[in-house]
């Protein structure tokens, strides 16, 4: 009798509503169900009795999983894939991770150097599948920021030019998705925080799947890897209010012109590299 391989996305109940659990747990599991017909795919809380499966441990599960739990899972015939997303892998990684998953290019490079004895696989972050691709209206230049306000460089003057759409990543909600089609450029100038490590370029991916250029500073390594040095709307250092306002004004002047078209062309390339099909293919390779 032939048994299909089992893939289980494991989450922690206390982080069930967190954005990382929703997207890299429940949503990625749904993409896997559609894209990996040869696998039995399900999602289960940490502490479940699971045997002889590939376990994709989400960021929240890795935060709370005790070494004994991980040891028990390994002894039950499971293979463990660790997905820390934007955080440093937990201390248990070298001992228990069969595969260390990187959700960004910069994380992949770092993990490969820091964990030479552990297999590292790239599974780029997907865009929320509830976001329908839209084409911006050709006669409306509007800039929106989608995210937690603490993560962005924002001032009163900047907010006169950029609509702020708060997104609370600690809980599950989708209200902000309905506002994405209203904007023809996405603002992503980041405020550096000590807890930032390996942020996937998710704001850029979201913009790309909305057919909108993104405005972001040049010194963001992950963004630059995706956009390239010739991307038109990179903000040069030092990043301050005056520089950002000037960049916004320039983007508005160039709206619909050749540089705007070049930016949209680059974003289209990013969109093609982050389709659900591509993400599932990366997941399949991680499981191989």
């Amino acid at each position: 009798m032939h048994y299909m391989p089992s893939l289980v996305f494991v989450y922690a109940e206390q982080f069930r509503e967190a954005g990382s659990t929703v997207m890299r747990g429940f949503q990625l599991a749904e993409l896997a169900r559609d894209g990996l017909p040869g696998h039995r795919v399900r999602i289960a809380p940490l502490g479940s009795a699971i045997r002889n499966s590939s376990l994709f441990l989400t960021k929240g599960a890795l935060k709370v999983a005790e070494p004994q739990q991980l040891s028990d899972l390994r002894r039950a015939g499971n293979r463990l894939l660790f997905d820390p997303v934007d955080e440093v892998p937990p201390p248990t990684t070298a001992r228990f991770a069969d595969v260390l998953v990187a959700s960004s290019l910069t994380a992949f490079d770092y993990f490969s150097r820091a964990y030479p004895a552990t297999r590292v696989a790239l599974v780029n972050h997907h865009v929320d599948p509830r976001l329908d691709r839209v084409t911006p209206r050709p006669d409306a230049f509007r800039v929106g920021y989608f995210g937690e306000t603490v993560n962005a460089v924002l001032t009163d003057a900047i907010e006169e030019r950029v609509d702020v759409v708060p997104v609370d990543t600690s809980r599950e909600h989708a209200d902000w998705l309905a506002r994405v089609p209203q904007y023809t450029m996405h603002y992503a100038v980041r405020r550096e925080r000590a807890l930032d490590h390996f942020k996937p370029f998710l704001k850029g991916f979201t913009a790309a799947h909305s057919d909108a250029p993104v405005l972001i500073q040049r010194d963001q390594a992950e963004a630059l890897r995706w956009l390239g040095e010739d991307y038109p709307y990179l903000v040069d250092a030092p990043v301050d209010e005056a520089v950002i306002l000037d960049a916004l004004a320039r983007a508005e002047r160039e709206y619909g012109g050749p540089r705007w078209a070049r930016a949209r062309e680059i974003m289209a390339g990013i969109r093609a590299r982050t389709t659900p099909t591509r993400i599932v293919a990366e997941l399949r390779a991680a499981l191989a």
Side-chain angles (χ1 to χ4, degrees):
M1 182 179 293
H2 174 69
Y3 293 95
M4 288 194 298
S6 172
L7 171 61
V8 184
F9 289 80
V10 179
Y11 68 95
E13 284 288 0
Q14 55 266 58
F15 296 112
R16 185 187 182 99
E17 296 295 316
S20 60
T21 301
V22 172
M23 295 194 74
R24 297 286 280 193
F26 288 89
Q27 290 182 359
L28 192 53
E30 194 61 35
L31 293 179
R33 287 189 189 99
D34 294 338
L36 299 175
H39 287 73
R40 290 183 291 112
V41 180
R42 63 189 179 96
I43 188 160
L46 184 67
S48 301
I50 309 170
R51 303 185 64 84
N52 303 321
S53 301
S54 293
L55 307 188
F56 192 96
L57 280 83
T58 59
K59 173 178 167 179
L62 292 176
K63 282 179 177 291
V64 299
E66 297 290 341
Q68 187 60 54
Q69 288 178 294
L70 298 172
S71 179
D72 290 345
L73 289 170
R74 286 282 294 274
R75 285 202 302 272
N78 298 301
R79 189 168 58 138
L80 307 186
L81 289 80
F82 279 28
D83 183 41
V85 191
D86 55 354
E87 295 192 346
V88 173
T92 53
T93 299
R95 182 179 175 190
F96 293 111
D98 295 290
V99 182
L100 178 55
V101 177
S103 64
S104 64
L105 301 172
T106 48
F108 180 84
D109 291 347
Y110 173 80
F111 293 170
S112 298
R113 293 191 304 269
Y115 299 90
T118 303
R119 183 178 168 224
V120 178
L122 177 67
V123 181
N124 280 297
H125 211 297
H126 68 279
V127 172
D128 195 308
R130 295 169 295 185
L131 176 66
D132 293 326
R133 183 189 166 196
V134 295
T135 302
R137 296 187 302 276
D139 59 348
F141 177 82
R142 293 188 66 190
V143 185
Y145 171 72
F146 302 89
E148 296 182 330
T149 55
V150 70
N151 288 332
V153 178
L154 295 169
T155 66
D156 290 343
I158 292 172
E159 291 191 46
E160 289 179 4
R161 306 294 306 276
V162 177
D163 291 344
V164 176
V165 182
V167 179
D168 183 357
T169 59
S170 68
R171 63 184 183 87
E172 204 286 318
H173 69 101
D175 298 348
W176 64 276
L177 290 165
R179 297 192 59 185
V180 172
Q182 301 172 12
Y183 299 94
T184 49
M185 174 171 257
H186 288 206
Y187 181 83
V189 181
R190 289 192 59 81
R191 184 185 304 279
E192 296 296 332
R193 302 175 66 196
L195 52 75
D196 290 339
H197 295 289
F198 310 105
K199 290 287 186 184
F201 191 36
L202 185 54
K203 284 182 172 55
F205 300 164
T206 300
H209 283 258
S210 305
D211 199 17
V214 63
L215 184 75
I216 192 167
Q217 62 261 61
R218 186 182 296 275
D219 65 2
Q220 293 294 300
E222 185 70 18
L224 196 63
R225 292 278 292 273
W226 287 89
L227 295 167
E229 292 280 358
D230 67 334
Y231 178 73
Y233 301 116
L234 294 170
V235 180
D236 290 318
V239 177
D240 57 23
E241 180 184 82
V243 170
I244 293 169
L245 291 175
D246 181 68
L248 288 166
R250 179 164 52 84
E252 184 168 18
R253 289 193 304 270
E254 294 174 352
Y255 180 70
R259 280 170 56 84
W260 185 268
R262 175 57 181 154
R264 287 185 63 190
E265 180 184 16
I266 291 171
M267 299 305 284
I270 293 174
R271 183 170 65 244
R273 293 165 61 192
T274 54
T275 62
T277 299
R278 290 289 292 269
I279 301 299
V280 171
E282 292 173 349
L283 178 60
R284 182 186 297 110
L287 293 168

